[in-house]
Amino acid sequence: MFKMLRLNASAKCIANIFNPMRRYAHQAINQMLQLQHTEICADSPSRGLVLGVYADEDDKTDTGILTPAAWRYNVSRTNGRLIEVLRMSGPMPKRGEARILFAVEVDKTPYYSAVAVVGLGKECLGYNPYELLDEQKETIRRSVAKACMELGRIDTSRIEVEDCGHAESAAEGAALGIWAYQELKSRSARITIPAIDLYTTKESVCDLEGWRIGLQKAAAQNLTRQLQEMPANLLTPTTFAQNVVEVLCKSGVNVEVKVEGWAESQVMNAFLSVGKASCEPPIFLELSYYGTSPEERPIVLVGQGVTYDCGGLCLKDCPTLKWMRGDMTGAAVVVAACRAVAALRLPVNIRGLIPLCENVMGCNSFRPGDTVKSMNGKHIKINCTDHEDILVLADTLLYAQNFCPKCIVDVGNTSPWSHDVLGEAASGVYTNSEILWQQIKHASMHTGDRVWRMPLWDYYTSEVTKTDSADLANYGAGRGGRPCKAAAFLREFVPCGQWMHIDSSNVMTTKGTTFEYLRAGMAGRPTRTLIEFIAQTICKDTAPKFPKKQN
């Protein structure tokens, strides 16, 4: 009884304070004040919703325009309260920002306990020729990922995401944003990973196929991140091969595991010289996917698979060593891309080649000054054991010629100096084909995981062939241009055909601030761009279209 009297007295005091304000306040504010003193019987936030709003970031007075899906929710579930509360909460959220609103629905027990409204910028965003980027798609990824991460922090168990104008990008942002590597953490210490789904209504036309494609691409990049993050003592060449067999055989990709004796029979001396100091034997994986006629020439993907790289006798410094479990980025990208291509049932034939080994110190380490003979008979002088990546790829590129490929694409961490040139902005691409460059460039525009073409001039070739005692050296003469010299070295082992090298050294890790949809750690790049590139090789015209000028 006394408790009820105290509550009534408190309510009267609060009413006396707010009565003058209510004479001038908007009706939406009155509803908000009433809700503050209404007992809501809903449980703690467990189901979230992500909606979008368009607004000019440079104009703080812009009141914003909700997306069609958000507007339908605003009218049908909140009686217009969503947009009013959003406008009262401050300027509209910018691109890459999310604002979480609680209990905006008029029902006493709301279906969505938390609603995140994300900023999508101006409605006219599209392809930016100066940034080489589709800004609309990248904005959707960044904003949706931010919202899902914020909702995950309040233990939301399920999140529904509207397509924000492009379902594929929304799915990518959501799935990439909520992912975290925590397999080795106790369950009590793990963060909540909510389930995600596409928000649909009876009145809306939903792009379920685009959503599915986006989830497959994000799942592929997350698989790459998972393999990168695994400690090197748990992901040796042998266990890597076991994981690949388990993952890909369920997806319809054939996996052949070839052992050290097979590599010796193929005269892969450059590859074998790198891994001979380790107690872990080298392994060569051959992946096969047939999505069209077996007579169709395949696209050959080559992934560098050095599961740990200490630099050999030319030892790396300690701050660098802790990240060298990710030196198998190329191998992880190829595995993930093959799984995604199979899941999407793309009509293309793929052959994946992955040389696996460890570059460590031991009594049998290869030494600076050694010379090895590659598959094509060229002698390679080892000037630096820390440049083993191109040795691993060289023999594999030669072996790729056996499949009469439509084109060869290799991915690897071939030069740490790439980070000084491009930072995290883009992967460096080296190619002898203008067609491949245009295809990979257009693919990166759509995925937001950009690439940039680097020179492959004869100048750099002369630097790696300038040696008296061998045909070429793995560490070229002269100063500077290390990434270009590494690519020039690899070109010497591609006798003919279209070839492209993607240097993933600088995009292996991320600080977690450059892209909102990637947490700090291993980035899994450029997986989605490679998948999009393979898909676009099937299409005739993939160039971005500029809007036609009206007379």
Side-chain angles (χ1 to χ4, degrees), residues 56 74 79-80 106 134 154 181 190 217 229 312 330 351 384 462 464 502 519 544:
D56 186 353
N74 173 60
N79 292 341
V106 294
D134 190 320
I154 57 175
Y181 182 75
R190 296 180 183 179
K217 288 183 176 180
E229 291 284 8
R351 184 77 66 160
C384 178
S462 65
V464 297
I502 304 176
R519 301 180 192 268

Side-chain angles (χ1 to χ4, degrees), residues 55-376:
D56 186 353
E57 294 179 307
D58 300 324
D59 184 5
K60 292 185 177 180
T61 62
D62 192 331
T63 55
I65 300 175
L66 294 174
T67 60
W71 181 253
R72 284 191 289 269
Y73 174 83
N74 173 60
V75 173
S76 62
R77 302 297 292 269
T78 71
N79 292 341
R81 187 168 178 271
L82 173 67
I83 187 65
E84 295 295 339
V85 174
L86 179 64
R87 288 168 177 170
M88 287 187 297
S89 63
M92 292 293 109
K94 298 181 180 180
R95 287 185 286 175
E97 292 183 354
R99 187 165 301 159
I100 300 181
L101 306 175
F102 296 94
V104 292
E105 297 180 10
V106 294
D107 297 336
K108 190 174 183 181
T109 304
Y111 184 78
Y112 299 105
S113 302
V115 177
V117 182
V118 299
L120 300 177
K122 297 180 181 179
E123 288 185 89
C124 57
L125 289 178
Y127 171 64
N128 187 332
Y130 301 103
E131 292 289 326
L132 295 179
L133 191 69
D134 190 320
E135 292 188 323
Q136 181 198 23
K137 295 178 182 178
E138 186 67 4
T139 296
I140 294 171
R141 290 186 203 96
R142 293 172 54 194
S143 300
V144 168
K146 189 69 174 179
C148 291
M149 293 169 74
E150 293 290 341
L151 290 172
R153 290 191 181 98
I154 57 175
D155 291 337
T156 306
S157 59
R158 184 179 181 83
I159 300 174
E160 293 186 25
V161 182
E162 71 141 308
D163 61 13
C164 297
H166 195 258
E168 181 179 327
S169 299
E172 289 176 348
L176 290 171
I178 64 174
W179 187 89
Y181 182 75
Q182 46 189 355
E183 292 182 1
L184 305 179
K185 299 179 69 174
S186 60
R187 292 192 176 276
S188 59
R190 296 180 183 179
I191 62 174
T192 301
I193 303 297
I196 57 172
D197 201 357
L198 178 63
Y199 173 69
T200 59
T201 59
K202 294 180 180 179
E203 300 82 9
S204 62
V205 178
C206 56
D207 184 8
L208 289 176
E209 183 63 17
W211 178 265
R212 185 184 71 87
I213 292 173
L215 289 181
Q216 288 293 346
K217 288 183 176 180
Q221 185 164 346
N222 289 338
L223 174 59
T224 303
R225 295 161 79 185
Q226 181 180 5
L227 293 171
Q228 288 176 313
E229 291 284 8
M230 290 185 68
N233 63 321
L234 300 182
L235 193 69
T236 63
T238 302
T239 54
F240 188 103
Q242 292 172 346
N243 287 337
V244 170
V245 170
E246 182 178 351
V247 169
L248 293 187
C249 286
K250 297 177 182 177
S251 306
V253 179
N254 184 54
V255 181
E256 294 183 48
V257 181
K258 303 178 185 295
V259 295
E260 186 175 4
W262 175 88
E264 291 174 350
S265 68
Q266 296 292 320
V267 199
M268 293 185 172
N269 295 324
F271 164 50
L272 292 172
S273 66
V274 176
K276 65 181 183 179
S278 173
C279 59
E280 287 286 337
I283 290 177
F284 193 95
L285 297 182
E286 190 172 316
L287 318 178
S288 305
Y289 166 74
Y290 296 97
T292 182
S293 171
E295 288 75 26
E296 185 77 20
R297 295 166 65 191
I299 296 175
V300 176
L301 305 179
V302 178
Q304 173 215 324
V306 181
T307 58
Y308 188 76
D309 176 22
C310 78
L313 295 179
C314 301
L315 186 64
K316 297 178 183 288
D317 57 13
C318 187
T320 306
L321 285 172
K322 68 178 182 179
W323 294 106
M324 285 302 102
R325 66 183 185 278
D327 207 45
M328 32 57 71
T329 294
V333 168
V334 169
V335 170
C338 288
R339 189 182 74 166
V341 167
L344 295 172
R345 300 181 183 276
L346 297 183
V348 63
N349 293 339
I350 299 291
R351 184 77 66 160
L353 307 177
I354 301 175
L356 296 167
C357 63
E358 291 181 337
N359 182 28
V360 297
M361 288 191 295
C363 60
N364 203 28
S365 296
F366 69 130
R367 300 157 292 237
D370 286 359
T371 300
V372 295
K373 186 178 181 181
S374 62
M375 284 180 66
N376 63 351

Side-chain angles (χ1 to χ4, degrees), residues 502-523:
I502 304 176
D503 188 352
S504 56
S505 304
N506 58 305
V507 298
M508 181 181 74
T509 61
T510 180
K511 296 179 180 178
T513 55
T514 307
F515 304 94
E516 284 82 353
Y517 45 85
L518 296 177
R519 301 180 192 268
M522 297 295 179

Side-chain angles (χ1 to χ4, degrees), residues 17 39 63 69 107 180 279 336 339 382 444 483 491 543:
I17 294 173
E39 181 183 2
T63 55
D107 297 336
C279 59
R339 189 182 74 166
I382 311 299
S444 71
R491 186 173 62 169

